[in-house]
Amino acid sequence: MHCAREEFFTTNKKGENYELKAELNSEYRHTRKDAVKKVIANMTVGKDVSGLFPDVLKNMQTEDLELKKLVYLYLMNYAKSQPELVILAVNTFVKDSDDPNPLIRALSIRTMGCLRVDKIIDYLTEPLRKCLKDENPYVRKTAAICVAKLYELNPELTTEQDFVKELKELVSDINPMVVANAVIALQDIHELSDTKDIFIINQTILNKLLNALNECTEWGQIAILTALGDYKVASNKEAESLCERVLPRLQHANGSVVLAVVKVMMINMQYIQDKNTVRVLCRKMAPPLVTLLSSPPEVQYIALRNINLVLQRRPEVLSNEIRVFFCKYNDPPYVKMEKLEIMIRLCNDRNVDQLLSELKEYANEVDVDFVRKSVNAIGRCAIKIEEAAERCINVLLDLINTGVSYVVQEAIVVIKDIFRKYPHTYEGIIPTLCDNLEALDEPQARASLIWIIGEYAERIENADDLINNFLENFKDESTQRVLQTATNECDNADIRDRAYVYWRLLSTDPQAAKAVVLSEKPAVAGESNGLSSGLLESLLSQIGTLASVYHKPAETFIAGRKYGADNVQALAHDPTNEDEDASAPPPQIQEALRNNSNLDNLLDLDWDEPSASTPINEPSATSSSLGDLMSLDAGNAAPSPPPSSTLSPTQSLTDIMNLYNQPSASPSNTFAGMGNPMQPQPQQPVQPVAVSSSMNDLFDFNMSTTSTAHSGLQQSSPLSPSLISTTQPLSTSANSKPAKEDPFAGLF
Amino acid sequence: MINSLFVINRHGKIIVEKHWRGIISRQIVDVFNDESAKFMKLPPGTLERSDISSNQEAFFTKEDVPPVLESNKYWLLNVLRDDLTWLCPVEKEVDPMLVFEFIHRIIDVVTDYLGDVSEASIRENFVTVYQLLEEMMDYGYPLTTEPNALKEIIMPPTIINKVMTTVNAAAGVTPKFPQNMSNIPWRKAGVKYTQNEIYFDIVEEIDATVEANGNVVSCEAHGTVVANSRLSGMPDLSLSFINPRLIDDESFHPCVRIRKWESDRLLSFVPPDGHFKLMSYRVALSPYQAMPLQIKPQILPTKNGGKFDITVHPRSTDGKPIEAIVLSIPMSKSTTSVNATCNVGNYMYDPITKTVKWEISKLQQRERAPMLSGTFSSSDAQPDMGLTVDVDFKISMYSVSGIKVDSLRLFHEGYKPYKGVRSMTKAGKFHVRT
């Protein structure tokens, strides 16, 4: 149904249209009806049949409902392009809206609203007013939606003529279907309105809605439940009774109804004091959520994303149901990935064995992404459950012994995280890891192993030999030479700055350097990928929306879709992000985390400065750990600027930004246009006194720039050949996965 | 709120286009085709979309494309069913679950009307399809989605209806409008049958993952109670089960009075006319409960190939035979040939999908255990072995959960209907790991 190709068919198909015209004017009804069908057929394949408008219109006045509807279909399609001809149809519409048959009345009012022609508005108001008061509920419910249509065309008129008021009266209608449609229309108008004060639910309305809830159709229930989600309860008792009223709706086959109920319950359960009541409610939520997992994959996907949110607030809901999240081998990849996330969330000391054997099974599958994520999940189990760490390590060692390259590499990356979480506990396995050194070709895995070697250098006899393996890319192994190369020949501001910092540190006081680099590292967070409580709160109140699927607030993508500076800044100052969890990372970090979820929050991020942290991604575990490589500096004479960095999307520029104190750090697009955007940066003084964590990150920044620079190559990156030669050999494999949407890609 | 719906065939061409509020350009379909092609060519191990040349081999299939894709301006919500993609581009925040449920509903209704949903059937009956789309949604909000209510307004394109229309047209009789909307939206008024009868089918599907040693990793049964009602007037029915407590989770057709179920575990309802799904439920099976059949696969890899043998052991099914057993054994992608023998049934090797299919039409208890054994050769020195056997079977007159209908009573009407209940257990996602 398309009206864009006017010119084409009118000329060469004139014959056909001419024939149709004759048939439309036939004296036999069935001939006319067949002709209208042919017209519609032409219309649906994109042919222009608008020339037949008057002839089709003649068939509008008929007793044949099917024919009438076909004519209406035609009208709706061409009304926009032939507004003056639509007026010809108005009389019939007005007459139909008075027809004794309620179906005809409803149909005429519905179609008139869909014509979307200004001229028709004047003719619409009177029939609409009558239909809103019609004795037949079917007509009233159709008229309710028509008010929303009218509002879109002409909001002032709709309000002036009291249609909105009449719509509000329909909320008290005796027929639940009418109530539901009135709610739908009011919500639609509320969204469109500038003032957003059209539809506010008070206690009286609440009761009416609850009464209608049980009797209306599933779609009406969704609308009413959505409206209930916006209601702020006045007391604990009210929250409790509200939850109990919506609870029976969980028994609906429609997943959207189930999610709408879950949303209302999640919002209101926080006001319920009685722990027992909460427990009972939680238990009732579980079965319908589990049932959603046997639906078609697209429903499963939405359900899983929302279950993930629910579990972050109330893990007890599904704590005994981990089995239902086990993957089927033919689940689509997007479902498998979400199931893995949830399994890790539900993992506890009782089910960890079961989960481990399941994950080990997955690690033998063929889908590379899924296998990697499964291996990663084993590591996350270890970090989450201390008692199981050893068993996890054993499983990982088994997997390393399979010799499958990507399994080995992923295993080493997670083992590094386990080492961080439980220092000096599992050193026994280091030789096994080192045996696989040759097999590593991915930067992240190499970096992880380097970190491990660095950390445990004292215990590894041939640590410097091993490290030498990684140094092929550097012309000389002396610290000074490396730092010199980095400072003089490298056009990349961040590598240079970082090198300066280390150089100065080493030249002033090697002990201080040692203290800085070998300092206590912040603990690895067990439960990674958790959303900040502020964000979680706002997402829980949006269960069953795109925001809850993407785990980012609607504001970031509804208007403008991409995070503009304004949006992000506004978000950073959003009070929800600043409650007790001051470290609330901006949503795109969650996004980044999700994309590269194998990384944990290894570093304390300094989120206190929202302006600086806006478009920035999480520091990667790998590169931060490379900071510790410098331990070799202190003891040995074999420092190595990192071979290359992981090109994971979660590179952080945070701390360097803090260091430079550029509060105006705005998203990349502002910089992207500049010819040589990093010009101003090298002039920035390097702050001599840096706390250890920011030192780590400085180095980390170093890393990330290699990668960002790399990914930014196409964007006129002024990289010196030397830097390219340093990064090239290692990043060949990484080339295929440049940093995702790195906001600073254009910067360097 | 749904703005538009496009139905796209397997070649990416639009076959149905419907807008409920304002027109979204057809170009969005090209955007969708591009985005999904991009996704399919995404090399595993990356999440990045650049560096993808157009002639690259696809890593993923159409089924793997996520149901929500992003484009510059729209979110592309899509559902793939039988070669047709149902695409709803949305610009504003929307309830994606509602969109998917609505698309499923359209597919169900169109299937009900046309017998099947395919490009051919839609093209042949486009007038019906467009009428349905118009009736099912108004201004982006679902309107009438009950098949019974729809059939009152839109006639299904059956042969009889076609004949009737022609005859009436020739006789100059105009078809009557339905005059009265029934008070119960799912049942039309004035239904009349000379023979009153109602049938129930209880179909249970077992979803299970079983390890090679017989350990059950996960298992549950999904049941549906489908009814075919041919009862006159406004009958009020009350159905009870022998052991309703077994049910873990249930959902009902809107006609069922939930309170009655909550208090008495009774299904009390005024049925729609014709076929409808009365109830669906889930029963968690104990991992120790014996599966109807046990499958023991064994694969021994050797250099450039390997040996396999698979045995099927029937287990407790109350003495009912297991029918239509089909085992699909996906071999590794590097397989070049397969040679096997079986003592029962037939086997087939499909060299394109690299799958061995073994069919056993009927298996009685205490029969010799069927066995398929053979060898395969592979172009790979060490073929990957992480394979999963997909099992299909059905058992008539048997319900794995043990749920049975106790009684059915009828109120409000004077006649005594003929009642029938059948049960059947089938394999759902029944997987055996090797």
Side-chain angles (χ1 to χ4, degrees):
Chain A
M1 300 174 65
H2 195 59
C3 49
R5 326 197 157 154
E6 258 95 287
E7 313 79 45
F8 296 117
F9 297 99
T10 30
T11 44
N12 53 7
K13 294 277 173 177
K14 195 155 218 158
E16 193 185 335
N17 271 2
Y18 189 77
E19 219 169 84
L20 279 175
K21 199 181 175 92
E23 285 177 28
L24 284 170
N25 290 308
S26 158
E27 57 181 307
Y28 300 108
R29 195 172 50 80
H30 63 276
T31 316
R32 296 201 303 270
K33 191 166 169 177
D34 284 346
V36 174
K37 282 186 181 176
K38 281 184 208 157
V39 171
I40 304 271
N42 283 339
M43 185 176 91
T44 54
V45 293
K47 288 181 191 167
D48 178 43
V49 280
S50 60
L52 297 167
F53 206 98
D55 305 284
V56 176
L57 214 56
K58 275 180 205 154
N59 290 291
M60 188 169 155
Q61 228 162 346
T62 170
E63 295 288 300
D64 184 340
L65 186 58
E66 193 183 19
L67 178 55
K68 198 176 211 65
K69 279 162 62 172
L70 291 174
V71 175
Y72 283 180
L73 251 173
Y74 177 90
L75 269 179
M76 280 185 268
N77 202 45
Y78 286 115
K80 200 93 191 157
S81 55
Q82 314 246 333
E84 62 291 339
L85 284 172
V86 174
I87 302 300
L88 298 176
V90 159
N91 272 336
T92 318
F93 276 124
V94 175
K95 197 164 144 257
D96 278 357
S97 72
D98 235 355
D99 196 278
N101 186 330
L103 279 177
I104 306 276
R105 295 201 294 276
L107 184 63
S108 81
I109 207 79
R110 174 148 68 95
T111 314
M112 262 172 112
C114 290
L115 294 178
R116 304 170 76 87
V117 176
D118 288 332
K119 283 185 184 158
I120 211 162
I121 291 179
D122 300 333
Y123 300 92
L124 178 60
T125 49
E126 276 327 298
L128 178 59
R129 200 181 304 283
K130 231 184 312 166
C131 286
L132 280 169
K133 299 250 186 286
D134 199 284
E135 46 157 30
N136 188 299
Y138 183 76
V139 179
R140 289 201 300 277
K141 85 171 194 183
T142 313
I145 298 289
C146 191
V147 176
K149 296 176 188 170
L150 187 65
Y151 188 90
E152 196 193 358
L153 286 173
N154 193 335
E156 295 80 27
L157 178 102
T158 315
T159 325
E160 264 167 39
Q161 298 251 352
D162 279 344
F163 280 121
V164 177
K165 200 168 136 249
E166 286 184 42
L167 200 51
K168 283 181 181 164
E169 280 162 21
L170 282 187
V171 175
S172 318
D173 199 279
I174 45 160
N175 186 301
M177 253 93 82
V178 179
V179 179
N181 271 23
V183 169
I184 288 172
L186 282 168
Q187 277 169 338
D188 198 88
I189 293 172
H190 186 84
E191 281 297 307
L192 283 174
S193 72
D194 305 322
T195 48
K196 307 272 181 218
D197 59 354
I198 304 280
F199 189 46
I200 313 280
I201 298 167
N202 56 30
Q203 205 154 10
T204 340
I205 298 183
L206 176 78
N207 284 329
K208 285 170 187 160
L209 295 186
L210 283 174
N211 287 334
L213 182 63
N214 285 335
E215 303 297 323
C216 60
T217 66
E218 55 202 298
W219 315 108
Q221 288 176 3
I222 296 167
I224 291 179
L225 288 165
T226 311
L228 291 180
D230 295 332
Y231 176 72
K232 299 271 175 297
V233 287
S235 67
N236 302 338
K237 267 262 144 316
E238 194 179 15
E240 219 169 289
S241 78
L242 183 57
C243 284
E244 256 147 42
R245 292 290 291 274
V246 298
L247 195 61
R249 297 295 118 214
L250 278 175
Q251 264 152 352
H252 207 293
N254 187 320
S256 188
V257 178
V258 172
L259 283 188
V261 177
V262 168
K263 171 174 139 181
V264 175
M265 290 177 65
M266 287 305 285
I267 291 172
N268 288 293
M269 263 155 62
Q270 53 183 329
Y271 303 113
I272 300 177
Q273 306 283 308
D274 182 20
K275 290 225 168 64
N276 210 21
T277 315
V278 172
R279 198 161 39 230
V280 170
L281 291 175
C282 281
R283 207 171 50 222
K284 295 231 164 124
M285 257 197 293
L289 287 176
V290 171
T291 301
L292 286 182
L293 295 181
S294 55
S295 317
E298 51 274 355
V299 171
Q300 281 187 51
Y301 174 70
I302 306 294
L304 287 165
R305 291 297 287 167
N306 284 292
I307 287 172
N308 193 330
L309 284 178
V310 170
L311 291 181
Q312 289 189 41
R313 170 56 45 87
R314 300 199 179 272
E316 67 271 26
V317 172
L318 294 166
S319 53
N320 295 322
E321 304 279 2
I322 196 167
R323 276 166 183 272
V324 302
F325 294 98
F326 287 175
C327 302
K328 304 275 177 202
Y329 82 98
N330 49 2
D331 279 339
Y334 55 87
V335 167
K336 282 186 179 171
M337 294 298 192
E338 294 307 323
K339 283 186 171 174
L340 268 183
E341 279 299 316
I342 288 173
M343 280 187 242
I344 296 166
R345 257 185 216 300
L346 291 177
C347 163
N348 57 32
D349 48 350
R350 276 171 290 124
N351 59 26
V352 67
D353 284 328
Q354 213 176 15
L355 178 60
L356 275 180
S357 75
E358 191 68 12
L359 290 173
K360 197 176 166 187
E361 192 71 40
Y362 301 157
N364 291 324
E365 289 202 16
V366 279
D367 177 351
V368 178
D369 281 341
F370 181 57
V371 169
R372 277 175 174 275
K373 191 148 173 148
S374 305
V375 175
N376 184 263
I378 297 174
R380 284 166 67 187
C381 285
I383 291 167
K384 192 175 169 193
I385 298 164
E386 188 162 2
E387 305 86 72
E390 185 161 355
R391 276 168 279 166
C392 297
I393 290 264
N394 287 335
V395 173
L396 287 170
L397 283 179
D398 282 355
L399 291 174
I400 287 178
N401 288 333
T402 61
V404 180
S405 167
Y406 53 85
V407 175
V408 174
Q409 312 217 29
E410 192 68 39
I412 286 180
V413 172
V414 292
I415 286 178
K416 182 252 322 172
D417 287 349
I418 299 176
F419 274 33
R420 271 203 92 151
K421 170 84 180 187
Y422 312 109
H424 308 291
T425 320
Y426 301 109
E427 286 136 27
I429 67 164
I430 292 176
T432 322
L433 304 184
C434 293
D435 289 347
N436 285 287
L437 191 134
E438 300 290 326
L440 305 184
D441 55 4
E442 288 166 22
Q444 204 173 342
R446 294 180 65 125
S448 297
L449 192 54
I450 293 173
W451 182 85
I452 293 172
I453 295 170
E455 273 296 290
Y456 295 91
E458 295 138 43
R459 275 160 238 241
I460 307 172
E461 285 170 18
N462 57 343
D464 37 341
D465 290 352
L466 292 172
I467 284 297
N468 276 339
N469 268 321
F470 290 103
L471 285 179
E472 289 145 13
N473 307 299
F474 275 90
K475 296 166 193 156
D476 195 327
E477 289 139 36
S478 94
T479 322
Q480 187 144 2
R481 195 49 201 280
V482 168
L483 292 175
Q484 215 160 12
T485 316
T487 48
N488 294 344
E489 289 175 35
C490 176
D491 268 357
N492 187 306
D494 311 292
I495 291 187
R496 215 159 37 197
D497 288 333
R498 209 172 275 242
Y500 273 127
V501 170
Y502 281 106
W503 199 343
R504 280 183 205 182
L505 199 59
L506 284 170
S507 57
T508 45
D509 183 2
Q511 283 309 311
K514 190 174 180 180
V516 165
V517 178
L518 289 179
S519 63
E520 279 289 301
K521 276 147 291 280
V524 179
E527 190 87 44
S528 59
N529 296 12
L531 301 171
S532 77
S533 70
L535 183 61
L536 181 59
E537 202 60 55
S538 80
L539 289 179
L540 279 172
S541 64
Q542 299 179 55
I543 280 178
T545 61
L546 282 174
S548 72
V549 172
Y550 278 82
H551 290 192
K552 2 181 219 196
E555 306 87 89
T556 51
F557 58 86
I558 296 312
R561 277 274 289 102
K562 295 288 170 212
Y563 342 108
D566 295 347
N567 279 341
V568 178
Q569 216 113 49
L571 192 79
H573 295 296
D574 188 298
T576 50
N577 273 355
E578 287 173 338
D579 51 24
E580 89 262 33
D581 186 351
S583 60
Q588 63 274 35
I589 291 175
Q590 304 302 333
E591 162 86 343
L593 260 179
R594 207 155 40 73
N595 291 339
N596 187 28
S597 51
N598 48 358
L599 298 174
D600 298 314
N601 298 5
L602 288 183
L603 293 164
D604 300 340
L605 284 181
D606 196 358
W607 296 118
D608 292 334
E609 287 201 50
S611 55
S613 63
T614 32
I616 290 163
N617 290 325
E618 189 95 346
S620 93
T622 327
S623 27
S624 70
S625 56
L626 276 163
D628 303 313
L629 236 191
M630 295 311 278
S631 59
L632 290 167
D633 278 0
N636 245 311
S640 59
S644 161
S645 84
T646 108
L647 299 188
S648 75
T650 55
Q651 301 286 355
S652 166
L653 306 179
T654 323
D655 296 79
I656 196 87
M657 278 324 212
N658 283 344
L659 198 66
Y660 286 143
N661 199 11
Q662 288 189 324
S664 62
S666 37
S668 55
N669 41 4
T670 23
F671 280 145
M674 299 190 198
N676 193 352
M678 354 95 68
Q679 208 71 61
Q681 292 198 359
Q683 273 84 23
Q684 296 281 344
V686 174
Q687 292 184 1
V689 201
V691 272
S692 83
S693 74
S694 68
M695 279 308 251
N696 269 342
D697 294 328
L698 256 182
F699 208 86
D700 160 42
F701 185 50
N702 204 340
M703 312 274 57
S704 54
T705 35
T706 12
S707 67
T708 47
H710 214 81
S711 64
L713 270 177
Q714 310 94 315
Q715 308 179 19
S716 81
S717 166
L719 274 184
S720 78
S722 77
L723 179 66
I724 293 176
S725 72
T726 34
T727 45
Q728 209 87 65
L730 281 167
S731 45
T732 36
S733 71
N735 239 337
S736 55
K737 48 173 217 174
K740 182 181 183 182
E741 277 182 30
D742 192 318
F744 280 69
L747 243 167
F748 306 106
Chain B
M1 185 201 77
I2 298 171
N3 200 322
S4 304
L5 171 75
F6 296 90
V7 184
I8 309 165
N9 70 9
R10 57 186 306 173
H11 308 296
K13 293 267 177 306
I14 300 173
I15 55 171
V16 173
E17 178 187 355
K18 175 75 191 161
H19 304 280
W20 288 282
R21 16 186 337 164
I23 286 166
I24 293 179
S25 155
R26 301 166 76 105
Q27 275 155 7
I28 194 70
V29 172
D30 300 333
V31 174
F32 170 76
N33 290 335
D34 288 354
E35 286 293 325
S36 50
K38 240 193 252 171
F39 176 86
M40 286 191 277
K41 284 171 185 159
L42 203 68
T46 62
L47 289 157
E48 187 40 55
R49 296 174 174 213
S50 58
D51 294 344
I52 293 168
S53 58
S54 53
N55 51 7
Q56 221 169 332
E57 196 196 336
F59 289 96
F60 294 106
T61 60
K62 261 192 154 157
E63 282 77 19
D64 296 340
V65 173
V68 186
L69 283 175
E70 293 175 63
S71 77
N72 281 331
K73 198 167 164 221
Y74 296 98
W75 303 84
L76 307 168
L77 277 59
N78 63 90
V79 172
L80 179 72
R81 278 291 175 290
D82 305 328
D83 270 354
L84 295 180
T85 302
W86 302 69
L87 171 72
C88 286
V90 295
E91 202 173 0
K92 281 199 257 167
E93 182 61 277
V94 75
D95 177 352
M97 194 70 112
L98 185 146
V99 177
F100 292 142
E101 291 282 2
F102 182 70
I103 293 175
H104 294 158
R105 199 60 54 86
I106 296 177
I107 296 173
D108 290 348
V109 168
V110 173
T111 313
D112 192 30
Y113 264 79
L114 310 183
D116 74 318
V117 178
S118 64
E119 187 173 353
S121 71
I122 289 178
R123 280 196 192 283
E124 196 169 313
N125 299 291
F126 69 92
V127 177
T128 311
V129 173
Y130 273 102
Q131 285 190 76
L132 284 172
L133 291 177
E134 184 62 38
E135 206 57 55
M136 289 179 76
M137 178 156 270
D138 182 20
Y139 198 54
Y141 297 102
L143 185 66
T144 311
T145 53
E146 262 307 313
N148 263 291
L150 282 169
K151 281 194 181 138
E152 261 182 90
I153 317 173
I154 302 161
M155 242 194 282
T158 59
I159 292 169
I160 292 176
N161 281 341
K162 274 182 191 156
V163 172
M164 288 297 284
T165 327
T166 331
V167 170
N168 282 344
V173 183
T174 51
K176 279 270 177 290
F177 285 150
Q179 283 295 330
N180 43 347
M181 295 294 286
S182 145
N183 286 333
I184 305 172
W186 58 84
R187 188 175 177 92
K188 50 187 172 195
V191 182
K192 236 185 161 69
Y193 290 101
T194 44
Q195 180 130 37
N196 291 296
E197 47 196 10
I198 182 159
Y199 300 97
F200 295 95
D201 273 307
I202 303 179
V203 181
E204 291 185 346
E205 294 194 358
I206 307 177
D207 282 3
T209 306
V210 186
E211 283 174 10
N213 60 13
N215 277 353
V216 177
V217 178
S218 68
C219 60
E220 53 184 13
H222 295 276
T224 51
V225 180
V226 181
N228 185 9
S229 156
R230 299 165 61 78
L231 301 174
S232 314
M234 278 286 165
D236 200 330
L237 301 173
S238 167
L239 179 88
S240 65
F241 292 103
I242 288 179
N243 28 24
R245 307 270 157 201
L246 290 169
I247 292 172
D248 281 301
D249 183 36
E250 62 278 329
S251 59
F252 304 106
H253 189 276
C255 67
V256 175
R257 302 182 179 103
I258 288 178
R259 279 202 202 120
K260 205 82 181 149
W261 172 260
E262 300 257 284
S263 57
D264 307 338
R265 298 276 134 175
L266 266 184
L267 288 180
S268 162
F269 57 100
V270 175
D273 193 41
H275 280 280
F276 67 101
K277 193 205 267 180
L278 177 64
M279 171 189 190
S280 46
Y281 60 89
R282 180 170 55 83
V283 179
L285 302 174
S286 143
Y288 308 105
Q289 176 171 2
M291 294 286 114
L293 66 168
Q294 192 182 3
I295 310 238
K296 289 188 177 160
Q298 247 189 337
I299 299 190
L300 292 170
T302 54
K303 198 169 182 311
N304 284 325
K307 287 199 295 191
F308 61 89
D309 57 312
I310 298 174
T311 48
V312 180
H313 302 273
R315 289 295 186 85
S316 62
T317 52
D318 290 351
K320 304 283 186 324
I322 307 171
E323 293 165 88
I325 305 174
V326 181
L327 276 78
S328 309
I329 307 129
M331 308 302 288
S332 90
K333 291 277 168 260
S334 56
T335 305
T336 48
S337 69
V338 172
N339 258 311
T341 51
C342 50
N343 57 358
V344 179
N346 302 307
Y347 95 95
M348 228 181 62
Y349 170 66
D350 181 350
I352 295 161
T353 55
K354 312 271 183 205
T355 312
V356 175
K357 236 188 190 128
W358 179 26
E359 298 180 358
I360 304 164
S361 56
K362 196 168 187 175
L363 183 59
Q364 282 284 5
Q365 302 272 319
R366 289 187 216 88
E367 247 174 57
R368 201 152 58 96
M371 182 153 116
L372 174 79
S373 53
T375 55
F376 64 95
S377 48
S378 158
S379 57
D380 228 356
Q382 287 175 305
D384 15 293
M385 293 283 78
L387 307 174
T388 305
V389 179
D390 189 53
V391 186
D392 200 10
F393 59 81
K394 65 180 184 195
I395 309 162
S396 299
M397 305 312 288
Y398 173 71
S399 113
V400 68
S401 67
I403 283 172
K404 287 190 176 74
V405 171
D406 183 23
S407 70
L408 175 76
R409 281 183 296 165
L410 183 142
F411 305 94
H412 286 306
E413 296 287 338
Y415 53 81
K416 276 223 175 326
Y418 179 80
K419 298 171 273 194
V421 180
R422 280 188 301 192
S423 48
M424 160 151 17
T425 295
K426 293 202 288 191
K429 293 172 186 159
F430 198 101
H431 299 156
V432 182
R433 290 176 178 163
T434 57

